[in-house]
Amino acid sequence: MSKKKILILGSSGMVGSSIVRVVNKKKYQLLTPSRKELNLFLGKKVIKYFLKKKPNIVILAAAKVGGIYANSNFPADFINENLKIQNNIIEACNQIKNIKLVFLGSSCIYPRNCKQPIKEEYLLSGSLEKTNEPYAIAKIAGIKMIQSYRSQYKKNYIALMPTNIYGPNDNYDKKNSHVIAGL
């Protein structure tokens, strides 16, 4: 029996590297391409990679991320790069039969003044935090794509929202990181 292939995109980042540490303890064939090996902005090359490697499970942890300063100063980069990455990955997954996709979102997709504790149904029920609105909109678009592909193509895609995370391999930059990492 061959091992299941798990493709972890964003495996050098904080969340992706944590997933790699857990998956490495299991009996899977782990695929963790570098940015040089797989440019997630190039849709045709992403599809070609997927068709060649034929992963069983894809975990999309790759994203352009940053704190308030980065989001405020580079909003076009945040929405553009995140939309390109997730669109290319979701479409590449659609080329493979019986593939599972885990899309990682963010708690910033919920309204700024969201009632606590946050519930899933609060999505799109109010205004987003202005300082990271383009990033949040890209993530919301990804969630809606996941839901649409599940509905139309009966795909086994899910979206998860890791919240309030920090740890090894976080971005520890004074200007561009999240608050905890910046401190």
Side-chain angles (χ1 to χ4, degrees), residues 1-182:
M1 185 169 117
S2 64
K3 292 181 180 182
K4 283 194 174 187
K5 293 181 190 174
I6 298 182
L7 172 59
I8 301 175
L9 301 166
S11 61
S12 64
M14 179 181 58
V15 175
S17 64
S18 295
I19 295 168
V20 167
R21 286 192 297 276
V22 171
V23 171
N24 263 341
K25 297 175 184 172
K26 308 294 179 191
K27 296 186 181 195
Y28 299 105
Q29 182 180 347
L30 193 57
L31 304 171
T32 57
S34 67
R35 287 180 184 167
K36 192 174 185 178
E37 185 181 352
L38 179 60
N39 184 335
L40 300 179
F41 296 118
L42 303 175
K44 288 180 182 176
K45 290 193 177 192
V46 171
I47 290 171
K48 186 177 177 181
Y49 179 91
F50 275 56
L51 291 172
K52 180 181 177 187
K53 299 292 185 176
K54 292 188 176 26
N56 303 102
I57 301 168
V58 175
I59 300 174
L60 179 49
K64 179 170 184 65
V65 297
I68 294 170
Y69 178 85
N71 275 273
S72 296
N73 287 288
F74 308 106
D77 294 348
F78 276 87
I79 195 166
N80 184 35
E81 291 182 28
N82 284 302
L83 285 171
K84 282 181 183 177
I85 290 168
Q86 63 203 36
N87 290 354
N88 289 338
I89 300 310
I90 293 168
E91 185 53 34
C93 285
N94 198 40
Q95 306 296 313
I96 309 288
K97 248 186 178 181
N98 301 321
I99 194 169
K100 296 178 181 181
L101 171 63
V102 178
F103 173 84
L104 298 180
S106 170
S107 60
C108 74
I109 64 169
Y110 293 101
R112 179 173 193 238
N113 297 316
C114 196
K115 184 179 170 189
Q116 300 295 316
I118 297 174
K119 294 183 180 178
E120 197 171 338
E121 60 263 22
Y122 296 164
L123 181 64
L124 298 173
S125 66
S127 298
L128 299 168
E129 168 59 46
K130 288 293 179 199
T131 58
N132 63 2
E133 185 179 62
Y135 175 78
I137 288 171
K139 288 297 184 178
I140 292 168
I143 293 164
K144 291 302 181 181
M145 277 186 77
I146 295 292
Q147 292 171 346
S148 298
Y149 275 66
R150 283 176 56 149
S151 173
Q152 184 174 339
Y153 299 116
K154 309 301 180 224
K155 292 294 187 170
N156 191 358
Y157 297 172
I158 62 168
L160 299 177
M161 301 308 118
T163 60
N164 300 321
I165 54 175
Y166 63 94
N169 294 325
D170 201 347
N171 174 15
Y172 296 99
D173 182 85
K174 288 181 184 179
K175 283 188 177 179
N176 295 316
S177 67
H178 294 103
V179 173
I180 299 297

